[in-house]
Every structure is written in structure tokens, then in C-alpha cells.
Amino acid sequence: MSSRDRSLDPRTRILRAATELLASGGRNAVTTRAVSAAAGVQPPTIYRHFGDMQGLFDVVARDTLAVYAQEKAARPLTDDPVEDLRRGWDLHIAFGLAHPDAFALLYSAPSAAAYRTVIGEGVALLQELVARVAEAGQLRVDVARATDLIHAAGTGVTLTLAAIPPEARDPRLSETMREAILAAVTVPVSAEAPTGGPDAPGAERVAVHAVALRALLSDAVSVLSPAERQLLSDWLDRLAASAGSPRQGR
């Protein structure tokens, strides 16, 4: 342990040691003996700060995801919301493969109360990216449904790839799934076929514009009363479902 590490408080040293052991050797490397030796503390100190080793795992996993979420939130956006969503997917996969054991801890038991808040923060960032796509008139399903689909698919791809040795992974798996999901939830824009243009199927044109207006309703809080906004939201949800997507409950 370096002199700088020795200047840290015991809890921080324990967290740093456990995080490094998890990253370098996996969950089996994070033992009471290994952590206490690396942190320069006695084993009872771990239990005093974290209750037990599972409590320590919980904090390590949460902190690892929190750092990633902060870095993701700080990344500048471009003028292309779909491309930003694509980059967000790639960042999510890269994070999971860089921290496979922490990712597995978070997502193998996603109902655990210890993980709900930090996972929710990551999903909120994803939802912001999806909302930008909706506001641009390029989303064919409502924001909540698109967010759920992308999050579920990205998590599944990450867990699948993490379980395969790096040399045996299909390098196109993530890209193929990403593009399939984007094709399912977004509408491409081009000079020849603008979003919601006259050549698009009628139901799709209605759905795309309904989703876009639904995403922008928060900008009209001074125009409509709460009851009117709720009624309009319900109508827009029904119109968004007209393209054949199951209605998302609100």
C-alpha cells in the first residue's frame, strides 16, 4: 500500500482495495483476508463499515456504476440524437465488459434495494437520450417503451458477451442488436424520406408525431391545466400506439 493510500480513511481504503481486487481477479478474489491485507486494516474493520462482505460488494458495484453514469452525463451531445443514442449504447456495452463482475452484481439481482437508485440514474440518462429522439420526430414508440426496450437489450447483450471468453466473442453481436433495436424504435430521416412524410404509412405518421408532441408537452405547462395535460397525454399515447405498438401504461 502506497503512502498516499495510507493517508486515506479506512472505509475508503477498503472500497479501493475491493474495487481493484474485483476488477483484477473477479468476485472470488474479493475475500475478507485479501481486502483487509490490501487495505491495511483488520478484518473486523470491514464488518464495522459494511456489515458483511455482501454489503461491501453492494457499495463497490454501486460506486462503479455511479462513476460511469457521471462520466456518461458529462459527455457532450451532438446535433444527431439517434447517433448520440447509438454512442450511449456502445458506452454501456463497453462499461459492462470493462467491469464484468461489478455489472453482474448489479444486474443479476436488479430488484435488490441496494442497486435500485444507481440503476435508475443510469436509466434516466438513457431516457433523456431517447426523449431527444422523440422531440426530433424520429421515435416510433413512446419514450418509456423505447427506453425499456433499449435498456433490456443492452443489458442482455452485455451479460451474454461477458460470459464468453474475449477471443470467442462475436465482434458484430452488439452492433447487430443495437441496429435491430434502433430500427424497431426509430424512424430514419433522409432528404428523400423525411420523418412522418407523405410516403410513410398513415398510422406511422400519426404515431411519430404523437410521440414527438408527447415528449414536448412539458414545454407547455403554462398553456394547459394539469387535467388538460393529462387528458392530452392519454390521447397522444393512444395515437402513438396506432402504429401497432402495445400501449404503454402511464
Side-chain angles (χ1 to χ4, degrees), residues 15-235:
L15 274 176
R16 177 172 294 185
T19 300
E20 292 175 353
L21 286 167
L22 185 67
S24 62
R27 185 165 182 169
N28 290 336
V30 188
T31 64
T32 302
R33 177 178 296 179
V35 172
S36 59
V41 301
Q42 294 299 314
T45 306
I46 297 174
Y47 303 119
R48 185 164 63 250
H49 285 285
F50 300 98
D52 55 20
M53 290 301 291
Q54 185 57 51
L56 176 57
F57 278 123
D58 289 345
V59 178
V60 168
R62 289 203 316 270
D63 285 3
T64 301
L65 185 58
V67 170
Y68 157 72
Q70 291 168 4
E71 293 174 349
K72 186 175 181 181
R75 289 180 67 90
L77 298 175
T78 71
D79 294 331
D80 186 340
V82 175
E83 184 60 29
D84 287 335
L85 189 55
R86 185 176 280 111
R87 290 169 58 206
W89 170 288
D90 291 343
L91 285 171
H92 184 74
I93 303 300
F95 162 76
L97 296 182
H99 306 277
D101 292 281
F103 194 91
L105 281 169
L106 289 161
Y107 285 98
S108 61
S111 62
Y115 305 143
R116 285 178 189 154
T117 299
V118 71
I119 289 178
E121 291 172 358
V123 173
L125 290 173
L126 171 60
Q127 186 160 321
E128 290 175 6
L129 294 176
V130 174
R132 290 182 70 240
V133 177
E135 292 167 6
Q138 291 180 255
L139 199 66
R140 69 172 78 242
V141 299
D142 67 83
V143 172
R145 180 168 177 77
T147 300
D148 288 344
L149 287 169
I150 296 167
H151 182 246
T155 300
V157 166
T158 305
L159 291 172
T160 298
L161 289 174
I164 301 172
E167 66 277 7
R169 292 172 187 163
D170 178 357
R172 295 292 303 278
L173 178 62
S174 175
E175 178 186 346
T176 301
M177 179 64 79
R178 182 194 68 200
E179 295 308 309
I181 290 294
L182 290 180
V185 302
T186 67
V187 179
V189 176
S190 68
E192 295 77 20
T195 302
D199 294 333
E204 181 175 286
R205 294 202 308 273
V206 170
V208 168
H209 290 295
V211 169
L213 182 54
R214 179 71 168 82
L216 290 166
L217 266 186
S218 60
D219 293 337
V221 291
S222 62
V223 178
L224 302 174
S225 69
E228 289 170 335
R229 287 200 304 275
Q230 183 59 56
L231 181 59
L232 181 55
S233 294
D234 291 341
W235 288 344

